[in-house]
Amino acid sequence: MEILYNSTRSKKSPVKASEAILKGLSEDGGLFVPERIPALDKSLEELSHMTYGQVAYEVMKLYLTDFTEDELKNCIEKAYDAKFDTEVIAPLAEADGAFYLELFHGATIAFKDMALSILPHLMITSAKKNNVENEIVILTATSGDTGKAALAGFADVDGTRIVVFYPKNGVSPIQEKQMVTQKGKNTYVVGIHGNFDDAQTGVKRIFGDKELAAYMETKGFQFSSANSINIGRLVPQIVYYVYSYVKLLEEGRVKEGEQINVVVPTGNFGNILAAFYAKQMGLPIDKLICASNENKVLYDFFTSGTYDRNRDFVLTSSPSMDILISSNLERLIYKIAGDDAEKNLDLMNELKQTGKYSITEEMSLQLADFYGNYASEEETAQTIHDLYDRTGYVIDTHTAVASCVYKKYKKDTGDEKTAVIASTASPYKFTRSVMNAIDNKYDDMDDFELANKLSELSGVAVPEAIKEIAAAPVLHDHICDRSEMKQTVMDFLGI
């Protein structure tokens, strides 16, 4: 059955999946959501014998209903190939009583590769399907990982250009080096004076500029997004939760239908929203455990029913979660408001005007599937240290936030169900924070020396992504004020 996509902010005519992917954001500023969540149409037993690519097709075909079988399979084959350092694509590692879903085996060693490896192919296919002749300009804000993964995905893809904005002093040295050394004649990387929320707000403002869109059209350009606000990013993320469950089933770790808990470190809420969608599709997930760092706006929301971004912004060792405006939460708010665009719009306007909003008691009752908690900087470091000490397994700072929160959840509830923890980045992406947590005696080494030492300790080879950037030249050194983002984009496009 065909699935169309509605805006979270109005009752405009719904659009097809390919149109939603091309637009990225609705003209009214809303996010595209499927008019209904489809149910899995293969049994978990059937899915358990499939490869990652095959599971991806079975999940994504249910959402991207205007793609032909050949079109979708072609996109999947191009995405999940030798760019990943394991044929499994997303392996599960058992450590200290939980299963870590390793989502960092792609080209940029972070979970964003799981969706951004396929998004360029979905977008180009969508453009052809809709007879789009304009050059597509991908506009993206990043808190660290999306930027490099999007750049790598779209580099030298015909018919596209990509502009990435990142907070100049708000990402790790490895994350920054990955971005500023990116090759590709259609790539542009800009550091802004400000934090991620400033970058994200600036990008949304450009998307909402109707005069600019009309002017771009006359010049043969149109904007789209590679952020998780794009439904073409969100749908591929659902896949790995389904895949993790059916692999546990295949290995006899769970019985068919047995519930598991899923733990996700999240700032922008897209990654855990994908798990929520997987549950809505029929995947046997009990609790969705939302792990925050010291920017704990989501934890406060789940405990109080009030979303309040009026607080100090904290720079932490898990920078991809240093976010106070969780864009994807809007999709959940729309859902628990009964798919009521008007009600959602009122809340989003309240957030824009006052920096906060509160949901009703009726809406709060629909959040029973979620548990929220957070980890302090000290707890994050201690979790890395203790897990390595007990098992020899090394995790990055974001995964450590999730691991710490999972322990808090078990202590609070006594729930011992099988747990899958989304391991969102390789420890090599945050070598200094990880190595300092294990032992601060390595503090005088540079980041690339630390990578070699981490390899010695963990027994895991230094990823190619790190080796490649060690001596790579800086190709992007543009910095701008947040007020200059629009002009910066126009300058890059030469218009």
Side-chain angles (χ1 to χ4, degrees):
M1 286 178 64
E2 184 179 41
I3 285 190
L4 298 176
Y5 288 80
N6 296 313
S7 167
T8 53
R9 298 194 185 184
S10 73
K11 292 181 179 177
K12 285 189 169 186
S13 299
V15 299
K16 293 180 179 180
S18 61
E19 294 174 295
I21 289 169
L22 276 176
K23 289 174 185 288
L25 199 64
S26 175
E27 289 93 340
D28 54 34
L31 280 64
F32 287 111
V33 286
E35 57 188 358
R36 59 185 171 81
I37 305 292
L40 291 167
D41 64 356
K42 291 278 193 300
S43 72
L44 298 170
E45 173 64 27
E46 286 176 285
L47 292 169
S48 72
H49 303 297
M50 295 183 183
T51 64
Y52 190 89
Q54 290 168 334
V55 173
Y57 175 72
E58 294 301 332
V59 172
M60 293 174 67
K61 73 176 187 185
L62 301 173
Y63 287 92
L64 309 183
T65 53
D66 65 327
F67 282 67
T68 67
E69 180 176 348
D70 284 347
E71 285 170 341
L72 187 51
K73 284 185 173 178
N74 182 53
C75 290
I76 289 167
E77 285 168 12
K78 286 179 177 175
Y80 305 112
D81 58 10
K83 292 190 292 293
F84 289 80
D85 63 17
T86 169
E87 289 184 6
V88 181
I89 306 298
L92 284 160
E94 187 176 6
D96 201 26
F99 291 92
Y100 288 82
L101 177 60
E102 294 185 347
L103 300 171
F104 51 76
H105 288 273
T108 75
I109 59 176
F111 83 102
K112 306 296 174 72
D113 288 323
M114 302 300 295
L116 284 166
S117 292
I118 193 168
L119 181 61
H121 304 294
L122 294 175
M123 200 165 278
I124 295 305
T125 304
S126 295
K128 288 176 183 172
K129 292 173 76 66
N130 289 278
N131 301 311
V132 170
E133 295 181 6
N134 287 340
E135 197 165 355
I136 299 168
V137 181
I138 306 299
L139 208 56
T140 293
T142 184
S143 55
D145 289 335
T146 287
K148 173 59 181 178
L151 288 161
F154 282 94
D156 292 324
V157 171
D158 288 341
T160 70
R161 297 196 201 186
I162 178 166
V163 185
V164 169
F165 292 99
Y166 74 97
K168 176 62 185 149
N169 297 308
V171 300
S172 80
I174 296 287
Q175 286 176 314
E176 182 171 46
K177 190 80 185 288
Q178 281 188 304
M179 287 188 282
V180 299
T181 57
Q182 177 65 50
K183 297 175 183 176
K185 62 183 182 297
N186 64 335
T187 64
Y188 197 51
V189 181
V190 185
I192 70 155
H193 298 302
N195 57 40
F196 169 73
D197 289 333
D198 296 323
Q200 181 170 249
T201 299
V203 165
K204 284 185 175 179
R205 190 172 290 128
I206 295 170
F207 272 120
D209 189 330
K210 291 182 170 52
E211 286 183 17
L212 177 60
Y215 180 61
M216 294 268 291
E217 180 75 28
T218 67
K219 298 294 184 181
F221 296 110
Q222 69 184 63
F223 286 128
S224 191
S225 171
N227 281 85
S228 55
I229 55 175
N230 192 315
I231 199 70
R233 265 278 305 272
L234 188 60
V235 169
Q237 291 181 268
I238 300 168
V239 174
Y240 48 73
Y241 292 110
V242 176
Y243 182 76
S244 67
Y245 186 92
V246 298
K247 288 300 115 177
L248 289 173
L249 179 61
E250 183 184 39
E251 294 170 10
R253 305 292 190 147
V254 295
K255 297 185 177 72
E256 186 165 11
E258 180 183 339
Q259 287 192 318
I260 65 169
N261 293 323
V262 171
V263 193
V264 187
T266 190
N268 220 1
F269 206 73
N271 204 3
I272 196 165
L273 183 71
F276 173 76
Y277 277 20
K279 175 169 180 163
Q280 298 290 304
M281 294 178 76
L283 197 69
I285 295 173
D286 183 16
K287 284 293 180 187
L288 297 154
I289 300 169
C290 179
S292 301
N293 64 17
E294 289 183 2
N295 291 290
K296 55 188 181 68
V297 65
L298 288 169
Y299 163 67
D300 291 341
F301 169 71
F302 282 114
T303 52
S304 71
T306 295
Y307 189 92
D308 186 354
R309 62 174 171 81
N310 299 312
R311 61 185 71 204
D312 290 337
F313 184 94
V314 185
L315 288 173
T316 73
S317 60
S318 48
S320 296
M321 297 161 65
D322 290 348
I323 296 170
L324 296 181
I325 306 172
S326 301
S327 290
N328 265 290
L329 185 63
E330 181 172 344
R331 284 186 165 114
L332 181 66
I333 297 299
Y334 174 83
K335 177 80 173 167
I336 64 174
D339 294 352
D340 187 333
E342 193 174 326
K343 193 171 186 178
N344 176 69
L345 179 59
D346 287 343
L347 292 172
M348 295 306 114
N349 283 337
E350 196 177 335
L351 178 65
K352 186 176 180 179
Q353 290 157 13
T354 69
K356 63 180 180 179
Y357 62 81
S358 296
I359 60 174
T360 64
E361 184 65 31
E362 185 183 6
M363 292 167 74
S364 292
L365 291 174
Q366 295 182 64
L367 297 176
D369 290 345
F370 289 88
Y371 167 92
N373 216 318
Y374 76 100
S376 69
E377 284 291 271
E378 293 75 19
E379 288 172 327
T380 301
Q382 194 65 48
T383 299
I384 294 170
H385 176 275
D386 292 351
L387 186 64
Y388 173 73
D389 203 40
R390 284 196 296 270
T391 68
Y393 187 62
V394 181
I395 55 176
D396 90 296
T397 46
H398 303 74
T399 308
V401 168
S403 184
C404 176
V405 165
Y406 175 55
K407 285 186 168 47
K408 291 183 178 184
Y409 169 78
K410 284 205 296 183
K411 185 177 179 182
D412 287 349
T413 65
D415 185 354
E416 294 287 339
K417 288 187 190 72
T418 300
V420 169
I421 296 175
S423 185
T424 52
S426 165
Y428 284 97
K429 205 149 191 173
F430 305 94
T431 47
R432 186 162 302 281
S433 295
V434 169
M435 293 300 288
N436 281 344
I438 291 172
D439 193 329
N440 61 15
K441 70 182 180 183
Y442 307 113
D443 203 36
D444 59 342
M445 293 184 178
D446 69 32
D447 285 271
F448 295 101
E449 290 174 323
L450 285 171
N452 292 327
K453 181 55 69 173
L454 176 55
S455 180
E456 284 179 35
L457 292 180
S458 66
V460 176
V462 178
E464 285 302 315
I466 299 298
K467 292 178 183 175
E468 284 172 5
I469 63 170
V474 171
L475 302 175
H476 307 273
D477 58 2
H478 197 91
I479 300 170
C480 78
D481 192 75
R482 56 192 174 186
S483 63
E484 300 168 335
M485 291 171 63
K486 174 180 170 180
Q487 189 59 51
T488 298
V489 172
M490 294 176 75
D491 291 345
F492 170 56
L493 297 178
I495 59 175

